[in-house]
Amino acid sequence: KNEVEQSPQNLTAQEGEFITINCSYSVGISALHWLQQHPGGGIVSLFMLSSGKKKHGRLIATINIQEKHSSLHITASHPRDSAVYICAVGGTYAGGTSYGKLTFGQGTILTVHP
Amino acid sequence: GAGVSQTPSNKVTEKGKYVELRCDPISGHTALYWYRQSLGQGPEFLIYFQGTGAADDSGLPNDRFFAVRPEGSVSTLKIQRTERGDSAVYLCASSVTRDRVDEQFFGPGTRLTVL
């Protein structure tokens, strides 16, 4: 079982729909990252969070540390939101040391149709 | 300011050849990470530098892979006797510190194709 699991793997939506991508992890962490990757493009960090909720524009990220679960929400989705969304966990405790090495989920491919 | 840069952006090589991939992190970032992303997969950790030293190289798949960061800034990932299975996008990221988890800034990646 992977340490970081995302669902769904593929998601298709119509413009304007509310979108949710889920991430579950199985290790203790210091922070969880949501990243965006466009086809042929680099990776951009959307959020880094260790508790509660963060909002940036139409994007909202939440995390439940006790349940080891995070969600990324996109409100009023738009075709330009089409990308791969990747959940990654960092600060995995190993031998009492925590650091920024990231363990990634497999990504969710989001396609938003006009 | 300038972000993380990687060169070359694309590299095509033949099986058995040696390749070097370069990463220029954001100035002042002490932590540098190399990741590898195969088609349709999330990135996988290769190696992490804090300053000049490799603090964790547990992700390097075998001894054909080696990375250096001699002056604590630019890093080079070196792959000897390349194999077709090495084909992937190699990503570099940097962050300010390692003692707490910081946002990582990613480069555009180098797409390596081994024929």
Side-chain angles (χ1 to χ4, degrees):
Chain A
K1 186 180 187 300
N2 293 332
E3 291 181 332
V4 182
E5 294 274 358
Q6 286 184 237
S7 63
Q9 291 188 7
N10 284 279
L11 181 56
T12 300
Q14 289 297 126
E15 183 174 356
E17 287 184 356
F18 180 84
I19 287 164
T20 297
I21 300 171
N22 295 299
C23 176
S24 297
Y25 53 93
S26 58
V27 294
I29 65 169
S30 290
L32 183 142
H33 304 246
W34 281 104
L35 309 165
Q36 181 191 58
Q37 186 173 35
H38 282 278
I43 292 176
V44 174
S45 176
L46 299 175
F47 295 103
M48 184 178 72
L49 66 166
S50 56
S51 65
K53 173 180 171 179
K54 286 191 176 181
K55 184 176 189 293
H56 180 70
R58 295 180 294 106
L59 302 178
I60 303 166
T62 63
I63 188 169
N64 185 318
I65 295 294
Q66 288 72 31
E67 294 186 3
K68 295 185 176 170
H69 181 268
S70 175
S71 293
L72 176 68
H73 305 286
I74 304 176
T75 62
S77 60
H78 191 276
R80 64 175 174 267
D81 297 327
S82 298
V84 178
Y85 291 84
I86 303 172
C87 170
V89 298
T92 305
Y93 294 100
T97 301
S98 65
Y99 54 88
K101 166 187 169 183
L102 295 181
T103 302
F104 297 80
Q106 78 274 29
T108 295
I109 302 171
L110 172 64
T111 304
V112 182
H113 294 292
Chain B
V4 178
S5 62
Q6 292 185 245
T7 54
S9 55
N10 280 282
K11 176 70 177 178
V12 180
T13 191
E14 294 179 342
K15 180 172 179 280
K17 298 291 189 183
Y18 168 83
V19 296
E20 289 189 351
L21 312 179
R22 176 187 167 108
C23 172
D24 276 279
I26 292 173
S27 177
H29 281 193
T30 56
L32 185 147
Y33 303 84
W34 282 100
Y35 301 97
R36 178 170 73 172
Q37 186 175 25
S38 299
L39 190 63
Q41 302 294 319
E44 294 179 312
F45 170 78
L46 293 176
I47 186 170
Y48 144 65
F49 288 89
Q50 176 60 27
T52 60
D56 184 347
D57 64 357
S58 62
L60 295 178
N62 51 59
D63 60 7
R64 296 186 297 105
F65 288 74
F66 189 71
V68 296
R69 195 186 184 198
E71 298 179 359
S73 178
V74 171
S75 176
T76 304
L77 178 65
K78 307 180 181 192
I79 310 175
Q80 298 177 322
R81 305 183 304 279
T82 51
E83 299 177 357
R84 292 193 180 89
D86 298 335
S87 296
V89 175
Y90 289 80
L91 297 164
C92 175
S94 69
S95 67
V96 174
T97 69
R98 68 106 192 243
D99 293 331
R100 58 189 174 88
V101 179
D102 286 296
E103 179 183 5
Q104 293 187 18
F105 295 83
F106 287 81
T110 294
R111 181 175 300 276
L112 174 66
T113 303
V114 182
L115 301 177

